[in-house]
Amino acid sequence: MFTMDWRAREQNTSFLGEILVVPEKGTRLVYKHLATLYFIFVFDNSENELAMLDLIQVFVETMDRCFKNVCELDIVFNFNKMHAIVDEIIFGGQVLETSSEQVMKAVEEISRLEKSSNSISFVPKAVSGRFGR
Amino acid sequence: MALSGMRGLSVFISDVRNCQNKEQERLRVDKELGNIRTRFKNEKGLSHYEKKKYVWKILYVHMLGYDVDFGHTETVSLISAPKYPEKQVGYIVTSCLLNENHDFLRIVINTVRNDIIGRNETFQCLALTMVGNIGGKEFSESLAPDVQKLLVSSSCRPLVRKKAALCLLRLYRKNPDVVNIDGWSDRMSQLLDERDLGVLTAVMSLFVALVSNNIEAYWNCLPKCVKILERLARNQDIPPEYTYYGIPSPWLQVKTMRALQYFPTIEDPNTRRALFEVLQRILMGTDVVKNVNKNNAAHAVLFEALALVMHLDAEKEMMSQCVALLGKFIAVREPNIRYLGLYCGNCLEENMTRMLLVSDVQDIIKRHQSQIITSLKDPDISIRRRALDLLYGMCDVTNAKDIVEELLQEVICDPHKLSTISLQYLNTAEFAMREELALKAAILAEKFAPDLSWYVDVILQLIDKAGDFVSDDIWYRVVQFVTNNEDLQPYAAAKAREYLEKPALHETMVKVSAYLLGEYSHLLAQRPGCSPKEIFTIISEKLPTVTTSTIAILLSTFAKILMHNHPSDPQLQEQIWSIFRKYESYIDVEIQQRSVEYFALSRKGTALMDVLAEMPKFPERQSALIKKTEDAEVDTAEQSAIRIRSLQQTSNALVVTDQRPANGSVPVSQLALVRMPSQNMEASSTHDQATSQDQINPQDREFSHQNGSVTAVVPQEVHPADLLGDLLGPLAIEGPPAPAVPAEHKDQNLLSTPEATPDAAGPLALATVDDQPNSVQPIANIAERFNALCLKDSGVLYEDSHIQIGIKAEWRSHHGRFVLFLGNKNTSPLVSVQAVILPPTHLKMELSLVPETIPPRAQVQCPLEVVNLRASRDLAVLDLSYKFGTAVVNVKLRIPAVLNKFLQPLSISAEEFFLQWKSLSGPPLKLQEVLRGVKPLPLSELANLFTSLRMAVIPGIDTNPNNLIICATFHSESTRAMLCLVSINLCSSDIRVETDPTDRTQLRITLGSGDPILTFELKECIKEHLVSIPMQAPTPGISPIQPQSPVTPAYNDPGAMLAGLL
């Protein structure tokens, strides 16, 4: 949901202010624009608008920690990492974690795991053949 | 941080980014996809690393918006990889590419399960995340128990448990049965004691979902929620990483307060006190600060606290505090907070209406009127829209003029102002916004017009200056209004004449002006510049510049001018005729037809007078405008506390508007044969053929040949729901455009029994016309209205020609709250209005003060509180009287605070049902009766009847499909006290209705409850609804004639009755 809407909205660049809240038939849309990045959250009326704005901030702060001054290139080239981060913050459309320290801990753990198994090198072909189709 | 070793992926991304245009990008993507496809196809021994790389590429291409129709197998198979990186890719990409219905997911369900029950926590997390994002019903069935185990396990890390909580939420949504209510309320209560805030946040989301579907089961969790709030907001007892800009986890605070809003009330005084203490602290302790993020967080909590306070019907002092806070927000500069301030203002106002604090709140909100109006000019459209809503809500007789004029200004100047900035802003949202402004201005102008001419001024100004944003309904409405108010007609015509002088006129303005002048210009004949000839000249000047639909109206106007042309002016007649002749060959058929018909008619002399007589009054009915705003407000989001509240609030306009056309009494004047400028050209074409023949040969218009069959042309009321019919309805007497099919159907009915038709219909029609009362008569049958309201919670209780009384009710255990909507239908006030409630002994009722005077066309709302003391079928009566002119009207109306309203459907399991059933041992707790003369209803409708009686029909308990098992709880003050040993405020009653399949008019009913009185009363209550009440004919005066008539049903329809006259 998140990534999809991101894509759809990217073409529409005529946003007015820095922060806006746009409601539409029970669906609300909160977005935040920071330097070259736009963050858009779409949610229904079971959430609080300002709290969603805070969540965007947590998301930004987390990425900032991850990438040291995040910019759009970090996101484009590390979109797979972005998925991991989003998965630690939002889960099935619900807020999973709101502490950016906790999110960082989880993300670092994932990075560690990725690295350690990479150094082990590739998986034997025999194993992969089993799941070939 | 670069991607770990996947150079190929980075290169691909750079390549795509370097593409100059979309075409190049597509080529590059296609090349890559081709490559991946071959690799997947040919090299069976692809390594996991390579697979991983390609799958990421596929995801990237997918995110760019291209369709990728292969690679799903490879993606899904990565889930089964033994190493973390591959597994991670498999899970993440599967979540993104597939949805819950995808067949491939079945393949991995076992792997996913193994990961969830396995020891590797990182694998558990991945699996839970995927299931939480795309898990469907099958996942729900096979994984729910394992996920539950993880959630409650003490050995799992919080990281896993919080994911398990949200994963379970997803599974629960897919299949609510996975959470067994019985065990879960205790378990939930324990989970809410959680110390880890991450887990607690996730658990709270789960809790909100559970409680929104079944409040009753989770009462025990309420104190826990309050404890959490105390812990966060008062004790600030949380680890530092959960403090967000100095505020203890705002999300959890917000979520917890959301959860609390699902509970209708808090009864335990200690809990209530504790909660209000916390809320008080939040309300007092929040200030606008410089840091944007801190500000947002603090206000997120504050707004939620406000919402909760409003929900809980707090003490007046606290309410005033809330209102004061809102006033502050509306004035604040920070746009988000102003937005929410305006939004909350709206909710608050509506809520306050519910709580009888109307005047206080309105005063305070009104004090901020100028600030709200300023917000109407805000550059941000969302704020403008909220401001509009609030202004619309707060508008009343005192401030209507200011507000409407302000709205008018907005509609008018906005486009101009914006076009100078940039055309880009004039997008659909802007357009819609201005349309809404126009619409709401029109509604408010009508609702609160201090005098009628002001209303006409406003609307004409609106059409003139902002015609693009004025929908057709708005001008239809002003025409209706003018037609129905004779005093207004010369004024409106004169105004229309003035507008026609203007050089560049909006086409809608041409339509209204032409229409009004066609009808009423003869009233102005004495004034300078208003002779038929001058009127004709100025209107015909517009003819070359307008579109077809307007030409149609102009032609009718000319025909009307011609009719009023006496003493005859041959020159004018010739001019008009020449126009008719010119348009006889116009490209549009409707225009051709009109020209031909008007021309032919105008040569008939006196026949023209009959045909083109002045329009009769429109029946009073719902303003299509109000309906339109209501339609726009329909909410699509899922169940939420706020939505439930908002549903309770939209009632305002609803009831006033549900006015039916006067009961069958169509004024005779409508029989005049009038052609009307119809916009609905296609729809009317077949009938028009018939009608055109009629008009040309009026002497034999009784029957005309159409499609080879003989058809009587039946005048008929146009369906009230038809928007166009609203305006055009009564005109098209000889051939209604809207319900063509039913009309024909009835015709055949009539023809099939020709001997009955004229005789039966003659006296009939006379009876109804005579019946048209001078004294006040109720419209429609009061008893029927009452019966309908016993089964539903809103509707019209009573209506006569002066007043309409609508009610809307809400029920909450043994409490009920009605709102009576007293609507004055007239253009002069109703005075000496008195309403007294006469409650039976078993109900405590309190009616708020009814104002003595109801202003013209206004509606007042009077809340009525009901408390049920014990089971009884006695009824409350509302004694209402008012004075209109010299007539004093007094009616006594039964209030539908009936026994079944205090029931609540309860769904129980078979075991429990039989346990309860057996424990009730015969009379007087359990009663049985065989009912005869039951309304023959199919089983499904019988079930529906019980559902509308607020009882739950439980399938599957009795194996015989002809038996119904029904279950509900009854709430009253006394039974609650009596049964307090068993359960606190409930009294179970089980009913079995067994039907004999061969005889639908007979059934046996057995029912039981813990209270003999209740058992008896409930049985009688159900009996009343099951045994057919003699259906009263809608027009009782006619009933003696009906038996002779073989076509009785048709006479319910005013159209059919009129048939007899022709």
Side-chain angles (χ1 to χ4, degrees), chain A residues 3-4 7 10 12-28 30-32 43-58 61 65-68 72-85 87-118 120-125 127-133, chain B residues 1-6 9-10 13-14 17 44-49 51-52 56-57 59-60 62-65 73-74 77 80-86 88 92 96 122 125 128-129 132-133 157 159 162-163 166-167 169 173 198 201-202 205 241-242 244-245 249-251 254-255 258 262 292-293 296-297 299-301 303-304 335-337 339-340 343 379-382 385-386 424-425 427 632 634-640 642-643:
Chain A
T3 41
M4 269 171 51
R7 236 181 19 240
E10 251 173 350
N12 185 359
T13 50
S14 64
F15 289 142
L16 294 170
E18 187 190 339
I19 303 163
L20 272 182
V21 189
V22 186
E24 214 171 72
K25 280 190 188 155
T27 307
R28 286 123 205 254
V30 164
Y31 82 90
K32 193 162 189 160
F43 52 96
D44 64 20
N45 54 14
S46 63
E47 305 284 348
N48 176 308
E49 292 92 341
L50 288 174
M52 283 298 116
L53 217 49
D54 294 341
L55 195 65
I56 298 184
Q57 182 63 21
V58 170
E61 283 174 15
R65 287 172 183 220
C66 232
F67 297 110
K68 316 272 180 295
E72 81 277 15
L73 287 180
D74 293 320
I75 295 175
V76 172
F77 281 97
N78 296 286
F79 73 93
N80 46 359
K81 202 173 180 79
M82 289 297 309
H83 276 289
I85 298 176
D87 279 346
E88 290 302 323
I89 298 179
I90 296 163
F91 183 109
Q94 298 284 332
V95 179
L96 175 66
E97 183 54 74
T98 57
S99 150
S100 106
E101 276 90 0
Q102 293 286 340
V103 177
M104 278 308 290
K105 267 188 218 162
V107 173
E108 273 159 17
E109 196 177 321
I110 292 170
S111 307
R112 228 180 16 255
L113 277 166
E114 282 178 328
K115 283 208 187 90
S116 64
S117 34
N118 265 346
I120 299 171
S121 98
F122 310 129
V123 183
K125 291 189 172 183
V127 180
S128 70
R130 251 173 53 209
F131 305 101
R133 59 196 66 101
Chain B
M1 281 195 205
L3 281 172
S4 34
M6 285 188 284
L9 180 57
S10 300
I13 295 174
S14 309
R17 285 178 56 82
K44 293 221 168 74
L46 212 59
S47 76
H48 270 125
Y49 168 76
K51 254 198 210 170
K52 177 178 103 177
W56 275 127
K57 280 185 183 170
L59 178 59
Y60 190 75
H62 172 78
M63 283 170 68
L64 287 174
T73 334
E74 286 77 7
S77 72
S80 320
K83 289 280 179 302
Y84 183 83
E86 284 82 26
Q88 185 207 16
I92 290 183
C96 295
T122 47
C125 285
L128 288 172
T129 306
N133 279 315
R157 279 166 64 196
L159 186 66
K162 65 189 182 190
K163 289 185 176 160
L166 291 182
C167 186
L169 167 57
R173 289 218 167 118
T201 308
S205 294
E241 72 258 33
Y242 283 98
Y244 176 88
Y245 291 90
S249 187
W251 299 272
V254 164
K255 261 270 152 23
R258 265 297 147 94
Y262 283 99
V292 179
N293 295 320
N296 280 345
H299 284 89
V301 175
F303 275 113
E304 211 55 55
N336 285 323
I337 293 180
Y339 169 88
L340 289 172
Y343 183 70
D380 183 334
I381 187 170
S382 327
R385 176 155 286 156
R386 285 289 153 240
Q424 207 182 356
Y425 290 126
N427 52 23
V634 172
D635 208 345
T636 51
E638 77 172 303
Q639 253 182 332
S640 77
I642 289 200
R643 172 154 174 263

Side-chain angles (χ1 to χ4, degrees), chain B residues 757-821:
Chain B
T757 315
D759 298 319
L764 233 179
L766 278 179
T768 41
V769 175
D770 285 348
D771 235 21
Q772 194 174 9
N774 272 340
S775 62
V776 180
Q777 291 268 320
I779 295 170
N781 188 315
I782 300 178
E784 268 173 35
R785 289 197 153 151
F786 171 79
N787 287 336
L789 284 168
C790 288
L791 298 176
K792 58 182 192 169
D793 282 336
S794 65
V796 178
L797 181 67
Y798 173 80
E799 181 173 359
D800 62 30
S801 46
H802 305 310
I803 197 170
Q804 185 194 50
I805 304 175
I807 59 170
K808 187 164 164 57
E810 276 173 62
W811 305 96
R812 187 184 291 164
S813 72
H814 62 286
H815 292 274
R817 175 184 282 129
F818 283 101
V819 182
L820 299 175
F821 298 86

Side-chain angles (χ1 to χ4, degrees), chain B residues 482-514:
Chain B
V482 172
T483 310
N484 288 6
N485 291 283
E486 262 170 55
D487 318 342
L488 211 52
Q489 291 164 357
Y491 180 79
K495 272 275 163 191
R497 172 73 184 79
E498 270 173 43
Y499 273 107
L500 281 177
E501 295 280 3
K502 294 184 101 184
L505 210 52
H506 193 274
E507 189 158 329
T508 310
M509 196 69 207
V510 177
K511 287 183 190 169
V512 197
S513 307

Side-chain angles (χ1 to χ4, degrees), chain B residues 278-353:
Chain B
V278 181
L279 290 175
Q280 183 73 33
R281 187 179 286 265
I282 296 172
L283 293 185
M284 296 299 288
T286 314
D287 258 321
V288 179
V289 292
K290 265 224 169 108
N291 183 314
V292 179
N293 295 320
K294 178 167 185 162
N295 223 1
N296 280 345
H299 284 89
V301 175
L302 179 58
F303 275 113
E304 211 55 55
L306 275 177
L308 184 55
V309 171
M310 291 192 260
H311 172 77
L312 289 174
D313 299 11
E315 288 73 26
K316 202 170 170 188
E317 209 174 297
M318 203 163 190
M319 282 295 185
S320 323
Q321 209 178 335
C322 289
V323 175
L325 272 173
L326 277 181
K328 208 170 93 191
F329 295 150
I330 292 171
V332 126
R333 268 184 57 200
E334 189 9 71
N336 285 323
I337 293 180
R338 192 143 42 100
Y339 169 88
L340 289 172
L342 291 168
Y343 183 70
C344 255
N346 241 330
C347 301
L348 183 69
E349 196 189 10
E350 282 160 5
N351 256 352
M352 292 294 169
T353 321

